[in-house]
Amino acid sequence: QLGPLPNTSLPAGLLAAAGLARPRGWPARPGTRFLGQSCRRAAGPRAGPEPGSGGLPEGVEYIPTRKKGKNPMKPVGVAWDAEALGVVVSGHILYRGQKRGARERYPHGHSAPQPCRFPGVKILPIPVLSNNYSYLVIDTGSGRAAVVDPSDPLAVQAAIEEEGVMLEAIFCTHKHWDHSGGNAALHQRHSSCKVYGSALDAIPELTNSLEDREKVSVGCLTFEALATPGHTVGHMVYVLDGGPFGGPPCLFSGDLLFLAGCGRLFEGSPETMLASLDVAVGLGEDTLLWPGHEYALECLTFASLLELDNPALEQKLRWVTQQRQEKRST
């Protein structure tokens, strides 16, 4: 919980071919498509649900690892858990240092963003910190917008002003500072803006808690929240319905899913993470993937060590390598 950490890479068989194909007639897009391949879980006895872990989707159980992750803001009696609160404070200090250092090292962001447009919708990736992405999603007809995981409020506010839009919603995938660090500043500046996320995570400035499969409208845009525990117990992803605009579904995956990789298991078991990945993969082959980190090169390089004869992997790795040499987002 102390800022961006190395991801857990997956074998290329799950997602290595992501982005190689697209629907007939569609131009190439910066978002990444992924295969509709299920992550099958081995049959066997399952542990019972974690007490107090209500709100998870049907069929998904929260199975903690041996060292159970703490809710850093959980009260103990009438006092805060001093040890956990210390983690939060030190994490926030580290986040502030990372934010300051990234602004100095990457004054224009760590990558060159490539906006995605289809009729009535614009998706603008905002490179923040050293490898994170926030996303500004705009209903171009009304000028209303939502932002996903605004970790650096200055970068997000600059994009809002440049686009000339009204911020109506903040969708937070989880509590970690590198995804939620800008919530307070943006909510203070845009007082009518609502902050959405799971009540199971200690998300800063949360105004509207969401349940699994709950939908939220921003202008003419419709987002569906999906509970995807594993990285954290309250991790959520958000799916933009592109159908009304003649576009594909768009998955804003936070730290659940990257190109050929997944997030670390801080507060869940491998089985929990696989169940959440099944939810994502079940969205369909035309879904565009917008992950929370620029981890594609690391994930695919690792996958290439495991799958030595995978043409799809080799082709995708060449494309990602070229993109990163040009400092372009993947």
Side-chain angles (χ1 to χ4, degrees):
Q1 299 176 3
L2 304 183
L5 294 167
N7 59 290
T8 299
S9 298
L10 296 178
L14 175 62
L15 295 167
L20 295 178
R22 53 186 178 274
R24 185 175 301 172
W26 276 81
R29 299 206 180 279
T32 299
R33 297 182 61 253
F34 56 88
L35 299 177
Q37 178 178 345
S38 176
C39 304
R40 297 296 181 188
R41 296 176 298 283
R46 296 170 63 95
E50 174 72 7
S53 62
L56 298 184
E58 183 179 355
V60 175
E61 297 174 331
Y62 173 57
I63 307 172
T65 53
R66 290 183 180 179
K67 185 175 182 180
K68 182 179 177 182
K70 291 184 178 180
N71 177 347
M73 298 306 290
K74 182 178 180 180
V76 180
V78 295
W80 294 105
D81 182 331
E83 177 186 357
L85 185 58
V87 171
V88 172
V89 172
S90 61
H92 184 56
I93 293 173
L94 180 59
Y95 155 75
R96 291 177 63 183
Q98 290 176 338
K99 183 173 61 175
R100 184 167 53 250
R103 288 172 180 172
E104 295 173 355
R105 185 178 180 184
Y106 307 111
H108 304 293
H110 58 74
S111 303
Q114 300 163 79
C116 171
R117 297 178 178 88
F118 40 93
V121 180
K122 180 178 181 179
I123 301 174
L124 177 64
I126 306 172
V128 291
L129 303 182
S130 60
N131 54 38
N132 281 76
Y133 286 109
S134 301
Y135 295 99
L136 187 64
V137 188
I138 303 170
D139 170 13
T140 57
S142 67
R144 299 176 180 179
V147 66
V148 181
D149 286 354
S151 58
D152 187 340
L154 289 184
V156 173
Q157 181 59 32
I160 291 171
E161 293 176 1
E162 184 174 347
E163 296 294 327
V165 296
M166 177 177 14
L167 185 64
E168 286 202 347
I170 294 172
F171 291 108
C172 204
T173 60
H174 63 292
K175 62 193 173 187
H176 291 162
W177 291 111
D178 61 319
H179 293 259
S180 65
N183 288 8
L186 287 171
H187 188 223
Q188 182 177 7
R189 187 178 186 108
H190 305 270
S191 57
S192 62
C193 173
K194 297 178 181 179
V195 181
Y196 295 93
S198 171
L200 299 178
D201 261 18
I203 292 179
E205 302 292 319
L206 183 69
T207 62
N208 293 69
S209 61
L210 295 174
E211 300 292 331
D212 183 49
R213 305 285 175 177
E214 190 170 350
K215 295 183 179 181
V216 178
S217 294
V218 177
C220 294
L221 309 177
T222 301
F223 296 83
E224 183 177 14
L226 302 176
T228 51
H231 183 67
T232 67
V233 67
H235 193 286
M236 279 190 149
V237 299
Y238 301 94
V239 181
L240 171 66
D241 182 7
F245 309 97
C250 292
L251 170 63
F252 299 94
S253 60
D255 280 359
L256 168 70
L257 182 64
F258 311 120
L259 198 167
C262 73
R264 280 187 176 227
L265 279 63
F266 286 114
E267 298 177 2
S269 70
E271 186 176 27
T272 302
M273 178 63 89
L274 282 174
S276 294
L277 290 169
D278 276 341
V279 171
V281 174
L283 293 173
E285 295 185 6
D286 62 336
T287 303
L288 294 180
L289 174 64
W290 304 90
H293 289 270
E294 181 55 69
Y295 284 160
L297 185 58
E298 293 85 350
C299 290
L300 287 166
T301 299
F302 174 75
S304 68
L305 301 176
L306 302 181
E307 299 190 12
L308 303 180
D309 186 20
N310 185 331
L313 168 68
E314 295 171 3
Q315 181 178 351
K316 193 63 177 178
L317 180 56
R318 286 194 298 270
W319 176 79
V320 166
T321 301
Q322 181 65 34
Q323 289 287 102
R324 297 312 299 151
Q325 286 175 348
E326 299 173 0
K327 300 297 182 183
R328 296 166 68 87
S329 62
T330 60

